Amino acid sequence: MTAQLHSVTGAADTLAVRNPATGEVVGTFPVHTADDVVAAVARARAAQQWWAGLGFAGRRKRMQRWVRWLARHCDELYELGHREGGKPKGDIQFELLAGLEDIRWSAAHAKRVLGEKRVAPGLAMLNFDARVAYEPLGVAGVITPWNAPVYTVLCGMAYALSAGNGVVVKPSELAAATGVWCVESFAKANPDTPAGLAGWVTGFGDTGAALCRSGVDKLAFTGSVPTGRRIMATCAENLTPVLLELGGKDATIVAEDADLDEAARSVVWGSLWNAGQACVGVERVYVVDAVKSEFLAKVKQRAEQVTVGTDPLSDYGPMIVPNQIDIIRRHVTDALERGATALVGGLDSIRPPYVEPIVLVDVPEDSAAVREETFGPVVVINSARDVDDAIAKANGTVFGLGSSVFSREHGREIAARLRAGGTTINSVLTFVGLPSVPFGGVGDSGFGRFHGDDGLREFTRAKATTFKRFGMGQEMQEFPRTDEQFDIVRKVVKLRYGRRFR
Ligand code: NAD
């Protein structure tokens, strides 16, 4: 299979999505113009009034209907996802499950997190009733990548819709078929919804840029760091706020007291799942010297059993983008030339569109395979003198998305010292499937959060309402000021703030 077959071919006004392994055209979609994008946002904005008016209970009912519809039609999605990305059906199932959890959780918790709450007014404004509510922003634009096209679309929609917004999704040009299927599923599950509440536009970077400029009230982007920078610059033109979920170079620490079987099993799955095309994939492992050789033997034994191919039940499938294969080749070549050892596979493992598992050992810390996102079925395993050394190395990149640690006794202490949006102890990649904890990065991995209370608040603006319950006679917020009032407040300030307080 030649690399050319993996790409999207775009005519002037349409793009065809092709299966990366077979070249089969899976779907043809419009390349939407800036005017089309503005029209989609206008439809979502009109429909959002109705959606906001339903309140939490009405929205929750419809989000639950959507969950049920997706669950009942899951086989259709497994088939489409397998045809589009060449992925095994298990990979799509994993994405769907995570997406269903996001919809379920966000709908169930929206009222608790966003509903109006009374808060203490404090001493200075004692006579006021104070309340905070989190209001929908209006319309959220959601731009998604090709590597997890089901999960990223469902996740973005879940939090934006549960918070009361309309949404316009621009799925990746390489995964438009599953992206559009996911967006349309909402209206199919809820035929009473006004058209366009959950809308989509398709196209390349220009269509995405048009969505940034369209007047949406927030732009939630999941994708690469360079595109994230461009999106932030474009959104700055209208001061449109952004949520950026970008790349990663996640590290795993294997401590001396780790369960080595569990660590090896998890590292092999975490680095190879989805052919390593995962933002939170395990790309680096730091294993303390004392257990290194035993750990390496276990990783080798497991990685060599992994199956790669077009079979719907393979462990993983083809690389989706030809350029990514070039990056993998560059990283592996550089590492080997600079003295690394290939424990499993090597350059021969790169057979486009497939890349068989590659495990590199003792890779120089300043090499591309350690510092840049590889985004393929390649994992670097390096030594650490001890846990302190492992932590320093794990924290040594510009990224900070996920991380993990294997230790029977010291997992929490090590986790607290890792610079990342999330850390899993004795497992990997849990952030994707766990909707109650925030998911996002630090540094070049981006900012803002999906999931959890923070994920819902991302798609709202905080609204404060204060209500004067009774007058205090001499008001602070009124003229004229009197000496008597000044003296009273002076005493209060000394009494209240001039001594220890809790
Ligand atoms: P990408 O940045 O190339 O493209 C993502 C999306 O942005 C696509 O829909 C694309 O059409 C659009 N786009 C491109 N140029 C644009 C522009 N100038 N303005 C607006 N939109 C534009 O990313 P990709 O290659 O599709 O995805 C892989 C990357 O995504 C990896 O770096 C991976 O780590 C990251 N990712 C991150 C997460 C996360 O949650 N942090 C999840 C999945 C993937």
Side-chain angles (χ1 to χ4, degrees), residues 69-342:
W69 192 96
L70 283 166
R72 288 176 191 152
H73 293 78
C74 65
D75 290 322
E76 224 177 274
L77 183 62
Y78 300 153
E79 190 55 43
L80 181 63
H82 176 61
R83 279 179 59 216
E84 179 180 64
K87 294 183 185 199
K89 291 185 176 177
D91 285 356
I92 302 145
Q93 188 176 55
F94 185 69
E95 286 190 53
L96 174 65
L97 189 58
L100 289 172
E101 272 294 290
D102 281 326
I103 304 169
R104 181 200 63 76
W105 190 93
S106 61
H109 292 267
K111 185 174 179 193
R112 173 185 63 78
V113 179
L114 308 176
E116 188 180 75
K117 282 175 205 66
R118 250 179 113 162
V119 292
L123 185 71
M125 300 290 160
L126 197 59
N127 54 332
F128 279 81
D129 170 288
R131 297 183 187 215
V132 181
Y134 292 88
E135 299 180 337
L137 295 169
V139 178
V142 175
I143 300 181
T144 58
W146 48 265
N147 68 308
V150 172
Y151 166 69
T152 50
V153 169
L154 294 181
C155 174
M157 288 176 70
Y159 292 90
L161 287 169
S162 287
N165 300 282
V167 66
V168 176
V169 179
K170 206 298 269 174
S172 167
E173 54 273 36
L174 292 147
T178 43
V180 167
W181 189 95
C182 288
V183 179
E184 291 189 339
S185 67
F186 178 80
K188 287 181 181 157
N190 290 292
D192 62 339
T193 315
L197 175 71
W200 56 268
V201 290
T202 44
F204 300 91
D206 284 349
T207 306
L211 187 55
C212 298
R213 292 195 173 96
S214 65
V216 286
D217 301 283
K218 179 136 195 174
L219 197 293
F221 171 69
T222 306
S224 64
V225 179
T227 309
R229 284 187 213 284
R230 280 195 283 275
I231 283 187
M232 195 167 166
T234 311
C235 285
E237 293 169 14
N238 294 321
L239 292 183
T240 301
V242 290
L243 183 170
L244 299 180
E245 293 286 0
L246 308 179
K249 191 72 189 173
D250 288 7
T252 294
I253 291 181
V254 181
E256 197 171 341
D257 67 341
D259 176 336
L260 294 182
D261 283 314
E262 181 154 58
R265 210 167 40 237
S266 300
V267 160
V268 168
W269 182 81
S271 58
L272 302 180
W273 175 75
N274 210 26
Q277 303 164 116
C279 55
V280 283
V282 175
E283 295 216 355
R284 299 175 294 149
V285 180
Y286 295 103
V287 54
V288 297
D289 287 331
V291 292
K292 183 180 172 190
S293 54
E294 196 184 340
F295 175 69
L296 288 183
K298 289 178 189 293
V299 168
K300 181 174 166 63
Q301 191 254 331
R302 287 190 172 275
E304 284 177 345
Q305 289 170 14
V306 169
T307 60
V308 184
T310 39
D311 190 287
L313 293 177
S314 309
D315 289 327
Y316 70 80
M319 298 303 296
I320 295 172
V321 188
N323 286 357
Q324 209 60 47
I325 298 178
D326 299 338
I327 293 171
I328 293 170
R329 189 178 284 109
R330 177 167 64 79
H331 286 190
V332 175
T333 305
D334 173 64
L336 294 175
E337 282 176 3
R338 296 182 60 190
T341 311

Side-chain angles (χ1 to χ4, degrees), residues 46-56 59 136 138 161 163-166 197:
Q48 189 265 340
Q49 302 288 321
W50 174 86
W51 184 239
L54 288 178
F56 292 110
R59 292 197 291 268
L161 287 169
N165 300 282
L197 175 71

Side-chain angles (χ1 to χ4, degrees), residues 357-374:
I358 301 174
V359 182
L360 300 171
V361 179
D362 298 330
V363 183
E365 282 295 311
D366 62 351
S367 65
V370 174
R371 307 205 73 76
E372 297 170 20
E373 188 177 44
T374 308

